[in-house]
Amino acid sequence: MAHIMFSPPYIPPAQAAQSLRTHGYAVLQPEDFAQWMGLSVNDLQAMDADWQGLPPDAFLKDGGRYRRRRHSCFVSDGDHVHQVPHRAHWQPVEYNALHGGMQRMFDPMLDATTHSPAWLAMINALGQLADQVFCADEMHERWFVEAHQFRIDTTDGIGRPTPEGAHRDGVDLVAVLMVNRQGVKGGETRVFEATGPNGQRFTLTEPWSIMLLDDARMIHETTPIQPAEPGGVRDTLVLTYRRGNFQGADLQGTAS
């Protein structure tokens, strides 16, 4: 049986803030996303090599070996971005029933990426978008940003991008960027209202396309992937923006 994929509901970047306010999500194609930040797709693709050497995720409670990742944290404040000392990733069980309540200390992202002009431009631009969506006119927040680099592979037959299932992240803004998709089938993105009947399903395939979510309003998940050819992988970057502080800041010290 043929595998059916639904195309992403792309919109122009100028409509992203309004779409987030009205519908709770927005999806941008790579060229538009890059130009909106004053970059090119090539600028973004220059970071692709970082996904080739991601270390294994040692915290998977389902016993799987399908996920590799790095994690780093930043603060975006107006037009300034800085990386904070390396810290564990923590979520409450209310948002992650599988891995919640664990302090998961992953290897940090590489300096070659986090110090690059394209990276800083992206963190800053998405922080300014969050200001537009969540702040009053002419106001801005101090955004606490967590960055997760993921590689899901199909070495053991099935890889699970969201082993915790449909969920929210406990933040304000979630950005899911497709970095690379090669030799896999499945991996359908599903987003739906937390308190209503509406939803969307589509498959991100274009490198550096992006889905944006108002996390308080939308639940999301990605279906498992299977190999379409040997060595199939799905690489993504997930960025979360939260007001106030990082989740679990009281357990490991506040950011400065």
Coordinates of all heavy atoms in Angstrom, one line a residue, residues 7-62:
S7 N 0.9 17.5 2.7 CA 1.8 18.6 2.6 C 1.7 19.6 3.7 O 0.5 19.8 4.2 CB 1.6 19.4 1.2 OG 1.9 18.5 0.1
P8 N 2.7 20.2 4.2 CA 2.6 21.2 5.3 C 1.8 22.4 4.8 O 1.9 22.8 3.6 CB 4.1 21.6 5.5 CG 4.9 20.5 5.0 CD 4.2 20.0 3.8
P9 N 1.0 23.0 5.7 CA 0.2 24.2 5.4 C 1.1 25.5 5.5 O 0.9 26.3 6.4 CB -0.9 24.2 6.4 CG -0.2 23.5 7.6 CD 0.7 22.5 7.1
Y10 N 2.0 25.7 4.5 CA 2.9 26.8 4.6 C 2.2 28.1 4.5 O 1.2 28.3 3.8 CB 4.0 26.7 3.5 CG 5.0 25.6 3.6 CD1 5.2 24.8 2.4 CD2 5.7 25.3 4.7 CE1 6.2 23.8 2.5 CE2 6.6 24.3 4.8 CZ 6.8 23.5 3.7 OH 7.8 22.5 3.8
I11 N 2.7 29.1 5.2 CA 2.2 30.5 5.2 C 3.4 31.4 5.0 O 4.6 31.1 5.4 CB 1.4 30.9 6.4 CG1 2.2 30.8 7.7 CG2 0.1 30.0 6.5 CD1 1.5 31.4 8.9
P12 N 3.3 32.7 4.6 CA 4.4 33.6 4.6 C 4.8 34.0 6.0 O 3.9 34.1 6.9 CB 3.8 34.8 3.8 CG 2.6 34.3 3.1 CD 2.0 33.2 3.9
P13 N 6.1 34.3 6.2 CA 6.5 34.7 7.6 C 5.8 35.9 8.1 O 5.6 36.0 9.4 CB 8.0 35.0 7.3 CG 8.4 34.2 6.2 CD 7.2 34.2 5.3
A14 N 5.4 36.8 7.3 CA 4.7 38.0 7.8 C 3.3 37.6 8.5 O 2.8 38.4 9.3 CB 4.4 39.0 6.6
Q15 N 2.8 36.4 8.2 CA 1.6 36.0 8.8 C 1.8 35.1 10.0 O 0.8 34.6 10.7 CB 0.7 35.3 7.8 CG 0.3 36.1 6.6 CD -0.4 35.3 5.5 OE1 -0.9 34.2 5.8 NE2 -0.6 35.9 4.3
A16 N 3.0 34.8 10.4 CA 3.3 33.8 11.4 C 2.8 34.2 12.8 O 2.1 33.4 13.5 CB 4.8 33.6 11.5
A17 N 3.0 35.5 13.2 CA 2.5 35.9 14.5 C 1.0 35.9 14.6 O 0.5 35.4 15.6 CB 3.0 37.3 14.8
Q18 N 0.3 36.3 13.6 CA -1.1 36.3 13.6 C -1.7 34.9 13.6 O -2.6 34.5 14.2 CB -1.7 37.1 12.4 CG -3.2 37.2 12.4 CD -3.7 37.9 13.7 OE1 -3.2 39.0 14.1 NE2 -4.7 37.3 14.3
S19 N -1.0 34.0 12.8 CA -1.4 32.6 12.8 C -1.3 31.9 14.1 O -2.1 31.2 14.6 CB -0.7 31.8 11.7 OG -1.1 30.5 11.6
L20 N -0.2 32.2 14.8 CA 0.0 31.7 16.1 C -1.0 32.2 17.1 O -1.6 31.4 17.9 CB 1.4 32.1 16.7 CG 2.6 31.2 16.1 CD1 3.9 31.9 16.3 CD2 2.6 29.8 16.8
R21 N -1.4 33.5 17.0 CA -2.4 34.0 17.9 C -3.8 33.5 17.5 O -4.6 33.2 18.4 CB -2.4 35.6 17.8 CG -1.2 36.2 18.4 CD -1.4 37.8 18.5 NE -1.4 38.4 17.2 CZ -0.3 39.0 16.7 NH1 0.8 39.1 17.4 NH2 -0.3 39.5 15.5
T22 N -4.1 33.2 16.3 CA -5.4 32.8 15.8 C -5.6 31.3 15.9 O -6.6 30.8 16.4 CB -5.7 33.3 14.4 OG1 -5.6 34.7 14.4 CG2 -7.1 32.9 14.0
H23 N -4.6 30.6 15.4 CA -4.7 29.1 15.2 C -3.9 28.3 16.1 O -4.1 27.1 16.3 CB -4.4 28.7 13.7 CG -5.2 29.4 12.7 ND1 -6.6 29.3 12.6 CD2 -4.8 30.4 11.8 CE1 -7.0 30.0 11.6 NE2 -6.0 30.7 11.1
G24 N -2.9 29.0 16.7 CA -2.0 28.3 17.7 C -0.8 27.6 17.0 O 0.1 27.0 17.7
Y25 N -0.6 27.8 15.7 CA 0.5 27.2 15.0 C 0.8 27.9 13.7 O -0.1 28.7 13.2 CB 0.3 25.7 14.7 CG -0.7 25.4 13.7 CD1 -0.4 25.3 12.4 CD2 -2.1 25.3 14.1 CE1 -1.4 25.0 11.4 CE2 -3.1 25.0 13.2 CZ -2.7 24.9 11.8 OH -3.7 24.6 10.9
A26 N 2.0 27.7 13.2 CA 2.3 28.3 11.9 C 3.5 27.4 11.3 O 4.3 26.9 12.1 CB 2.8 29.7 12.0
V27 N 3.5 27.3 10.0 CA 4.5 26.5 9.3 C 5.1 27.3 8.2 O 4.3 27.8 7.3 CB 3.9 25.2 8.8 CG1 5.0 24.2 8.3 CG2 3.0 24.4 9.8
L28 N 6.4 27.4 8.1 CA 7.1 28.2 7.1 C 8.0 27.3 6.3 O 8.7 26.4 6.8 CB 7.9 29.3 7.8 CG 7.3 30.2 8.9 CD1 8.2 31.2 9.4 CD2 6.0 30.8 8.3
Q29 N 8.1 27.6 5.0 CA 9.0 26.9 4.1 C 10.4 27.4 4.3 O 10.6 28.6 4.7 CB 8.6 26.9 2.7 CG 8.4 28.2 2.0 CD 7.8 28.1 0.7 OE1 7.4 27.0 0.2 NE2 7.7 29.2 0.0
P30 N 11.5 26.6 3.9 CA 12.8 27.0 4.2 C 13.3 28.4 3.7 O 13.9 29.2 4.4 CB 13.7 25.9 3.6 CG 12.7 24.7 3.5 CD 11.4 25.3 3.3
E31 N 13.0 28.6 2.4 CA 13.5 29.9 1.8 C 12.9 31.1 2.5 O 13.5 32.1 2.8 CB 13.1 29.9 0.3 CG 13.9 28.9 -0.5 CD 13.3 27.5 -0.4 OE1 12.2 27.4 0.2 OE2 13.8 26.5 -1.0
D32 N 11.6 31.0 2.8 CA 10.9 32.1 3.5 C 11.4 32.3 4.9 O 11.6 33.4 5.4 CB 9.4 31.9 3.5 CG 8.7 32.0 2.2 OD1 9.3 32.5 1.3 OD2 7.6 31.5 2.0
F33 N 11.6 31.2 5.6 CA 12.1 31.3 7.0 C 13.5 31.9 7.0 O 13.8 32.8 7.8 CB 12.2 29.9 7.6 CG 12.8 29.8 8.9 CD1 12.3 30.6 10.0 CD2 13.9 28.9 9.2 CE1 12.9 30.5 11.2 CE2 14.4 28.9 10.4 CZ 14.0 29.6 11.5
A34 N 14.4 31.5 6.1 CA 15.8 32.1 6.0 C 15.7 33.5 5.7 O 16.4 34.4 6.4 CB 16.6 31.3 5.0
Q35 N 15.0 33.9 4.7 CA 14.9 35.3 4.3 C 14.4 36.2 5.4 O 14.8 37.3 5.6 CB 14.1 35.4 3.0 CG 14.8 34.8 1.8 CD 13.9 34.9 0.5 OE1 12.9 35.5 0.5 NE2 14.4 34.2 -0.5
W36 N 13.4 35.7 6.1 CA 12.8 36.4 7.2 C 13.8 36.8 8.2 O 13.7 37.9 8.9 CB 11.7 35.6 7.8 CG 11.1 36.1 9.0 CD1 10.3 37.2 9.2 CD2 11.2 35.6 10.4 NE1 9.9 37.4 10.5 CE2 10.4 36.4 11.2 CE3 11.8 34.4 10.9 CZ2 10.3 36.1 12.6 CZ3 11.7 34.2 12.2 CH2 11.0 35.0 13.1
M37 N 14.9 36.0 8.4 CA 15.9 36.2 9.4 C 17.1 37.0 8.8 O 18.1 37.2 9.5 CB 16.4 34.9 10.0 CG 15.4 34.1 10.8 SD 16.1 32.7 11.5 CE 16.4 31.7 10.1
G38 N 17.0 37.3 7.5 CA 18.2 37.9 6.8 C 19.3 36.9 6.5 O 20.4 37.3 6.3
L39 N 18.9 35.7 6.3 CA 19.9 34.6 6.0 C 19.5 33.9 4.7 O 18.4 34.2 4.1 CB 19.9 33.6 7.1 CG 20.2 34.1 8.5 CD1 20.0 33.0 9.6 CD2 21.7 34.5 8.6
S40 N 20.3 33.0 4.3 CA 20.0 32.1 3.2 C 19.8 30.7 3.7 O 20.3 30.4 4.8 CB 21.1 32.2 2.1 OG 22.3 31.5 2.6
V41 N 19.2 29.8 2.9 CA 19.1 28.4 3.3 C 20.5 27.8 3.4 O 20.8 27.0 4.3 CB 18.3 27.6 2.3 CG1 18.3 26.1 2.6 CG2 16.8 28.1 2.3
N42 N 21.5 28.3 2.6 CA 22.8 27.8 2.7 C 23.4 28.1 4.1 O 24.2 27.3 4.6 CB 23.7 28.4 1.6 CG 23.4 27.7 0.3 OD1 22.9 26.6 0.2 ND2 23.8 28.4 -0.8
D43 N 23.1 29.3 4.6 CA 23.6 29.7 6.0 C 23.1 28.6 7.0 O 23.9 28.3 7.9 CB 23.1 31.0 6.3 CG 23.7 32.1 5.5 OD1 24.9 32.0 5.1 OD2 23.0 33.2 5.3
L44 N 21.9 28.2 6.9 CA 21.3 27.3 7.8 C 21.9 25.9 7.6 O 22.3 25.2 8.5 CB 19.8 27.2 7.7 CG 19.1 28.5 8.0 CD1 17.6 28.4 7.7 CD2 19.3 28.9 9.5
Q45 N 22.0 25.5 6.3 CA 22.6 24.2 6.0 C 24.0 24.0 6.4 O 24.5 22.9 6.6 CB 22.4 23.9 4.5 CG 20.9 23.7 4.2 CD 20.7 23.4 2.7 OE1 21.5 23.9 1.8 NE2 19.6 22.8 2.3
A46 N 24.7 25.1 6.6 CA 26.1 25.0 7.1 C 26.2 24.4 8.5 O 27.3 23.9 8.9 CB 26.7 26.4 7.1
M47 N 25.1 24.3 9.2 CA 25.1 23.7 10.5 C 24.8 22.2 10.4 O 24.9 21.5 11.5 CB 24.1 24.4 11.4 CG 24.4 25.8 11.7 SD 23.2 26.6 12.9 CE 21.9 27.0 11.8
D48 N 24.5 21.7 9.3 CA 24.0 20.3 9.1 C 25.0 19.3 9.7 O 24.6 18.2 10.3 CB 23.7 19.9 7.7 CG 22.4 20.6 7.2 OD1 21.8 21.4 7.9 OD2 22.1 20.3 6.0
A49 N 26.3 19.6 9.5 CA 27.3 18.6 9.9 C 27.3 18.3 11.4 O 27.7 17.2 11.8 CB 28.7 19.1 9.5
D50 N 26.7 19.2 12.2 CA 26.7 19.0 13.6 C 25.8 17.8 14.0 O 26.0 17.2 15.1 CB 26.1 20.2 14.3 CG 26.7 20.6 15.6 OD1 27.6 19.9 16.0 OD2 26.2 21.5 16.3
W51 N 24.9 17.4 13.1 CA 24.0 16.2 13.4 C 24.7 14.9 13.1 O 24.1 13.8 13.5 CB 22.7 16.3 12.6 CG 21.7 17.2 13.3 CD1 20.6 16.7 14.0 CD2 21.6 18.6 13.4 NE1 19.9 17.7 14.5 CE2 20.5 18.9 14.2 CE3 22.4 19.6 12.9 CZ2 20.1 20.2 14.5 CZ3 22.0 20.9 13.2 CH2 20.9 21.2 14.0
Q52 N 25.9 14.9 12.5 CA 26.5 13.6 12.1 C 27.1 12.9 13.3 O 27.2 11.7 13.3 CB 27.6 13.9 11.0 CG 27.1 14.5 9.8 CD 25.9 13.8 9.1 OE1 25.9 12.6 9.0 NE2 24.9 14.5 8.7
G53 N 27.5 13.6 14.3 CA 28.2 13.0 15.4 C 27.5 13.1 16.7 O 28.1 13.1 17.8
L54 N 26.1 13.2 16.7 CA 25.4 13.3 18.0 C 25.6 12.1 18.9 O 25.5 10.9 18.4 CB 23.9 13.5 17.7 CG 23.5 14.8 17.0 CD1 22.0 14.9 16.8 CD2 24.0 16.1 17.7
P55 N 25.8 12.2 20.2 CA 26.0 11.1 21.0 C 24.6 10.4 21.3 O 23.6 11.1 21.3 CB 26.6 11.6 22.3 CG 26.2 13.1 22.3 CD 26.1 13.5 20.9
P56 N 24.6 9.1 21.7 CA 23.4 8.5 22.0 C 22.6 9.1 23.2 O 23.3 9.6 24.1 CB 23.8 7.0 22.4 CG 25.1 6.9 21.7 CD 25.8 8.2 21.8
D57 N 21.3 9.1 23.2 CA 20.5 9.5 24.3 C 20.5 8.3 25.3 O 20.0 7.2 25.1 CB 19.1 9.7 23.8 CG 18.1 10.3 24.9 OD1 18.4 10.0 26.1 OD2 17.1 10.9 24.5
A58 N 21.1 8.6 26.5 CA 21.3 7.5 27.5 C 20.1 7.4 28.4 O 20.1 6.6 29.4 CB 22.6 7.8 28.3
F59 N 19.0 8.2 28.2 CA 17.9 8.3 29.2 C 16.6 7.7 28.7 O 15.6 7.8 29.3 CB 17.7 9.7 29.6 CG 18.9 10.3 30.3 CD1 19.8 11.1 29.7 CD2 19.0 10.2 31.7 CE1 20.9 11.6 30.3 CE2 20.1 10.7 32.4 CZ 21.0 11.5 31.7
L60 N 16.6 7.0 27.5 CA 15.4 6.5 27.0 C 14.9 5.4 27.9 O 15.5 4.3 28.0 CB 15.6 6.0 25.6 CG 15.6 7.1 24.5 CD1 16.1 6.4 23.2 CD2 14.3 7.8 24.3
K61 N 13.7 5.6 28.5 CA 13.1 4.6 29.4 C 12.4 3.4 28.7 O 12.1 2.4 29.4 CB 12.2 5.3 30.4 CG 12.9 6.2 31.3 CD 11.9 6.9 32.3 CE 11.4 6.0 33.3 NZ 10.5 6.7 34.3
D62 N 12.2 3.5 27.4 CA 11.6 2.4 26.7 C 12.7 1.4 26.2 O 12.4 0.4 25.5 CB 10.8 2.9 25.5 CG 11.6 3.6 24.4 OD1 12.8 3.7 24.5 OD2 11.0 4.0 23.4

